[in-house]
Amino acid sequence: MSSFYITTPIYYVNDVPHIGHAYTTIAADVMARYRRMRGDDVTFLTGTDEHGQKIEKAAEAKGTTPKELADRLSAGFRQVWEKLEISNDDFIRTTEPRHKAAVYEVFRRMQAAGDIYLGEYEGLYCVPCESFWTETQVVDGNCPDCGRGVDTVTEASWFFRLSAFGDRLLAHMDAHPEFISPKSRANEVRQFIHMGLRDLSISRTGVKWGIPMPDDPEHVMYVWLDALVNYLTAAGFPNPGYETRWPAQVHVIGKDILRFHAIYWPAFLISAGLPLPERIVSHGWWTIDGEKMSKSKGNVIDPVAVAEHFGTDAMRYFLLREVPFGNDGDFSIARMVEMYNADLANGIGNLLSRTVSMVHKYRGGTVPAGDAADAAAAPVKEAAALLPSSFHTGLDDPQRTGRGLKFDEPLEQLRQLVWAANTFIHDSAPWTLAREGDDARLDTVLYNAVEALRVAATYFYPVMPEMAGRISAAIGLTLDPYAIDFDAAAHWGQYPAGTPLPAPEPLFPRQDLKTVPDHLTVKTPQENPVSDTSAETPAAQASDPPAATEATRDDYVSIGDFAKIRLQVGTVREAERVKKSEKLLKLQVDIGTEVRQIVAGIGRMYTPEEMLERQVVIITNLRPAKLMGVESQGMLLAAGADEVEALLAPSGPVTPGARVR
RNA sequence: GGCGGCGUAGCUCAGUUGGUUAGAGCAGCGGAAUCAUAAUCCGCGUGUCCGGGGUUCGAAUCCCUGCGCCGCUACCA
């Protein structure tokens, strides 16, 4: 019995659980259930990430404590997972004492290895995202993730010598080609490492809600160091015996947090002298009806609402069947209805229904004994025999699944089984046999049909645990998935004849697109878009706290703050493209007292020619910066959603240098 | 701009190390059957395998190039 430790990311409590979170967690759950069936000693971990300034502020705005807020939100996640039949063995919270102990021990080891030092950090900080950005990362003075303003922060900071780990990380990837999948993601990681890693600031001073740095209570542990260690914590680290769990076999993650898991985390572990996880499997994002999920569009899908309408199992089935793992996918109710009807209602659902009702109609509700070696049933038997290996090839073999996990292989094989069984019934025409009184043959057909359902239920279990149980019950059995031998369960002819069946009832009633409610989206419309749609942790977050109404007051600035920013009108005297740049224009702007050189990212909307003699608004007291090696002495104001759409300018001629107020 | 990937039937995608007339599901059309959730079963695709070159006895599969899309990354003060 081998140990199988699989994790989801820990989700930031401040976020509302959506279809992306559900997808990650369901995928991990299916793996966990499958490995339990195989007889592995599975530890399936999920949990919540609860520290950070965002929670601190949200709590303050709500007049509560961060802990109380986190308690409530974390419980919300637990409820969602319960509803979605998530079979996690442990649920970790970063606010637990056991976690603090683990973080300290990891830190102590990293320090002992000489990879920690005290330095000074100056950076631009985005409070909502709790992320530092370099000057080159920031977009128009705003956070590249969430688009909100950043503050310049200088502080003493502890650093991790990440720069020293590039070669070791690459060597590990060379030696373990299955370490990161899909392969394209591994390539991205390599590329990122090749460009050179910079030391990582791992402490913050402005934040109180977090794990204090050892011996330096002014600092709090950087969220990612705090968060990633959860995987060790849950394994029992640093207590004796954690080695039976660690290293984890699989970290399931969304592509947005790849870098943290594929670079930072392994580097931390190498430094601390701990083994690396075996596989990091990254999946794609869901769009909704072809559009990016965002709160402003109000199209963020609530997995619980979907589960309530279609059934949890149907949703689980859809998510895994619709999209090859690793690819981005599109969630549309129309597709969901289509697949539900084709595979579930018309497929397994109808197969069960017709079979059970024939047993009732022709045999008084008791499954007769029949010939399991019947020649006509051979194709069904063969389809069943391929089921175990479809799981093995789809989910076990990292070489073969270079794309990641392939849930579609076993699901396709199950579809084959259902199809073979339907064909068998059709060709055997039991209704004719009944009419003609061919009892022996009729018994055999019914027996084999029921046997097909027994096998289908067994192997549907990982994806549709509840339905697997109900199918089993409908054929008079009690499914005990973890008691069976996974491979042997497919062997034909195990159904115990003579079993009485309950009356048939539809397990998957047909769905009609017209009757699907249109409120399957989360109900808290926010003004800020969610930039990502998958599972993630804080640095990748862009959503607002539920307490947004109160919290936005924190965004107010005083008139004095505004006065600090000097806005002036200037006239463009010269304009040219910055060479080798896609959208940078180098402008010479006359502001009366002087001519400023401004580099602006407007090259997609404006040609240098049309900029000439145009009046523009610029910030003239912004710290100069270099872009593509060209100095910019200010910033030009423009507006647009993502890309610049239009410049800001006075509605009539103004003397160059005039203040904007 | 750099690096990587993708572009196969109306839709979603398979196509192993290049090898007979390129496949599946869904949708659509026609038929059969009637146990069943109007479900099932059978039959039906002349697709420029994005375009153009090339290597080869032979390429969707390898090389070059063009176009389109995507990801990461670098400049968007």
Side-chain angles (χ1 to χ4, degrees):
Chain A
M1 174 144 134
S2 53
S3 169
F4 188 81
Y5 181 26
I6 181 168
T7 70
T8 74
I10 48 175
Y11 305 109
Y12 199 50
V13 279
N14 214 25
D15 199 15
V16 180
H18 55 62
I19 200 83
H21 297 107
Y23 182 55
T24 316
T25 312
I26 288 167
D29 182 67
V30 172
M31 279 293 280
R33 289 178 188 270
Y34 160 58
R35 301 303 297 223
R36 288 192 198 104
M37 287 178 84
R38 295 272 313 273
D40 287 349
D41 179 17
V42 171
T43 307
F44 169 27
L45 174 73
T46 188
T48 44
D49 181 12
E50 308 184 1
H51 288 132
Q53 198 162 6
K54 217 152 108 182
I55 279 291
E56 192 176 311
K57 289 204 165 186
E60 198 181 319
K62 279 183 127 33
T64 181
T65 66
K67 183 63 166 66
E68 280 167 6
L69 180 59
D71 285 349
R72 214 185 62 227
L73 296 172
S74 180
F77 271 92
R78 278 187 199 248
Q79 280 166 18
V80 171
W81 300 150
E82 225 163 89
K83 179 85 190 169
L84 302 189
E85 297 173 66
I86 302 304
S87 64
N88 54 300
D89 300 288
D90 194 355
F91 186 98
I92 188 163
R93 304 182 51 191
T94 53
T95 47
E96 294 175 71
R98 60 170 173 162
H99 181 57
K100 191 170 170 182
V103 170
Y104 279 172
E105 178 58 15
V106 170
F107 181 80
R108 194 194 61 73
R109 292 186 182 210
M110 287 161 67
Q111 200 166 27
D115 293 322
I116 304 288
Y117 65 93
L118 185 61
E120 191 165 84
Y121 194 99
E122 180 181 295
L124 299 164
Y125 189 67
C126 173
V127 174
C129 297
E130 291 167 16
S131 294
F132 272 96
W133 304 102
T134 63
E135 298 203 341
T136 57
Q137 286 173 313
V138 167
V139 180
D140 298 330
N142 290 322
C143 172
D145 261 10
C146 70
R148 284 172 283 203
V150 295
D151 304 321
T152 302
V153 177
T154 307
E155 61 179 37
S157 171
W158 292 88
F159 281 86
F160 170 64
R161 219 173 286 284
L162 181 65
S163 57
F165 288 83
D167 290 344
R168 277 176 277 183
L169 291 171
L170 290 172
H172 187 262
M173 289 178 68
D174 289 341
H176 303 276
E178 76 290 352
F179 183 49
I180 299 166
S181 64
K183 248 187 146 158
S184 54
R185 298 289 162 206
N187 288 341
E188 288 178 13
V189 170
R190 281 179 189 282
Q191 181 196 346
F192 191 84
I193 296 173
H194 275 302
M195 291 189 312
L197 299 175
R198 296 203 299 183
D199 287 353
L200 189 66
S201 168
I202 53 160
S203 73
R204 296 287 181 270
T205 51
V207 187
K208 289 190 207 69
W209 181 235
I211 297 180
M213 289 295 280
D215 309 321
D216 192 351
E218 292 298 299
H219 289 75
V220 145
M221 202 74 80
Y222 169 52
V223 280
W224 276 103
L225 178 55
D226 173 353
L228 288 162
V229 170
N230 89 83
Y231 302 131
L232 273 171
T233 306
F237 183 85
N239 303 315
Y242 76 88
E243 300 92 340
T244 61
R245 288 277 172 253
W246 191 259
Q249 273 58 54
V250 184
H251 288 322
V252 181
I253 63 167
K255 63 181 184 180
D256 50 314
I257 52 175
L258 178 66
R259 192 182 307 161
F260 302 101
H261 283 78
I263 296 178
Y264 296 0
W265 179 225
F268 294 162
L269 289 166
I270 293 171
S271 171
L274 292 163
L276 306 192
E278 288 177 16
R279 298 187 67 191
I280 296 165
V281 182
S282 158
H283 68 246
W285 286 356
W286 287 91
T287 52
I288 309 301
D289 296 322
E291 294 196 331
K292 215 166 175 179
M293 214 192 301
S294 84
K295 287 183 181 172
S296 57
K297 283 183 194 143
N299 66 351
V300 177
I301 296 289
D302 178 1
V304 173
V306 175
E308 275 167 3
H309 183 77
F310 291 95
T312 294
D313 284 13
M315 181 181 75
R316 291 168 58 109
Y317 180 86
F318 175 79
L319 291 177
L320 295 180
R321 180 93 173 85
E322 172 70 355
V323 173
F325 205 73
N327 289 14
D328 286 353
D330 186 55
F331 186 95
S332 94
I333 295 296
R335 284 286 299 167
M336 169 109 201
V337 169
E338 213 171 274
M339 184 178 289
Y340 177 101
N341 285 337
D343 289 5
L344 301 181
N346 301 351
I348 182 69
N350 185 235
L351 176 64
L352 176 72
S353 175
R354 69 193 306 201
T355 302
V356 172
S357 66
M358 282 192 285
V359 170
H360 277 279
K361 198 166 215 162
Y362 304 137
R363 287 297 177 262
T366 301
V367 180
D371 179 12
D374 182 58
V380 193
K381 192 171 163 181
E382 281 160 26
L386 289 173
L387 277 165
S389 63
S390 71
F391 276 89
H392 300 322
T393 57
L395 302 182
D396 293 344
D397 184 354
Q399 299 302 335
R400 206 173 160 286
T401 57
R403 193 175 58 188
L405 303 172
K406 294 185 73 173
F407 294 101
D408 42 329
E409 294 220 3
L411 289 176
E412 171 59 24
Q413 191 56 41
L414 278 160
R415 245 181 35 76
Q416 291 287 327
L417 174 67
V418 171
W419 166 76
N422 270 325
T423 304
F424 166 69
I425 291 172
H426 178 269
D427 292 351
S428 306
W431 42 92
T432 306
L433 298 174
R435 220 179 296 125
E436 296 171 351
D438 189 343
D439 285 344
R441 180 91 193 105
L442 178 55
D443 284 352
T444 288
V445 173
L446 292 179
Y447 178 84
N448 282 287
V450 173
E451 172 65 352
L453 287 164
R454 190 212 110 232
V455 174
T458 306
Y459 293 93
F460 262 124
Y461 174 79
V463 174
M464 302 201 288
E466 193 209 332
M467 281 304 163
R470 290 179 63 182
I471 293 167
S472 294
I475 56 170
L477 302 180
T478 303
L479 181 62
D480 190 354
Y482 302 152
I484 62 167
D485 178 312
F486 186 79
D487 292 345
H491 294 168
W492 204 252
Q494 297 181 49
Y495 184 83
T499 308
L501 304 186
E505 61 175 309
L507 289 192
F508 297 103
R510 278 183 66 83
Q511 294 286 342
D512 185 341
L513 188 52
K514 292 194 225 45
T515 65
V516 180
D518 55 1
H519 58 265
L520 298 181
T521 49
V522 296
K523 294 157 194 71
T524 50
Q526 307 284 337
E527 64 276 31
N528 291 300
V530 179
S531 65
D532 50 326
T533 62
S534 84
E536 70 286 292
T537 18
Q541 279 305 329
S543 56
D544 259 2
T549 335
E550 297 101 303
T552 43
R553 293 204 185 119
D554 285 354
D555 295 342
Y556 288 155
V557 297
S558 70
I559 186 76
D561 287 339
F562 174 69
K564 290 178 190 165
I565 296 172
R566 195 162 71 229
L567 298 170
Q568 289 179 272
V569 176
T571 305
V572 178
R573 299 301 186 198
E574 291 173 39
E576 61 180 284
R577 287 193 183 278
V578 175
K579 64 274 161 222
K580 303 204 74 171
S581 158
E582 270 178 34
K583 45 185 174 184
L584 290 189
L585 296 187
K586 184 167 81 176
L587 312 172
Q588 304 300 333
V589 183
D590 180 355
I591 52 171
T593 51
E594 60 180 310
V595 174
R596 287 289 185 91
Q597 173 167 293
I598 306 281
V599 179
I602 54 173
R604 287 228 179 97
M605 277 306 293
Y606 295 91
T607 62
E609 294 69 37
E610 60 184 321
M611 287 305 298
L612 284 176
E613 301 307 319
R614 197 186 268 265
Q615 288 209 307
V616 295
V617 180
I618 61 178
I619 303 176
T620 51
N621 62 342
L622 192 65
R623 178 181 301 114
K626 281 197 172 180
L627 303 172
M628 296 286 285
V630 182
E631 178 163 283
S632 181
Q633 304 157 330
M635 172 173 137
L636 187 148
L637 298 191
D642 290 324
E643 295 277 312
V644 167
E645 288 165 25
L647 295 173
L648 262 57
S651 54
V654 173
T655 316
R659 281 293 294 266
V660 176
R661 56 191 95 221

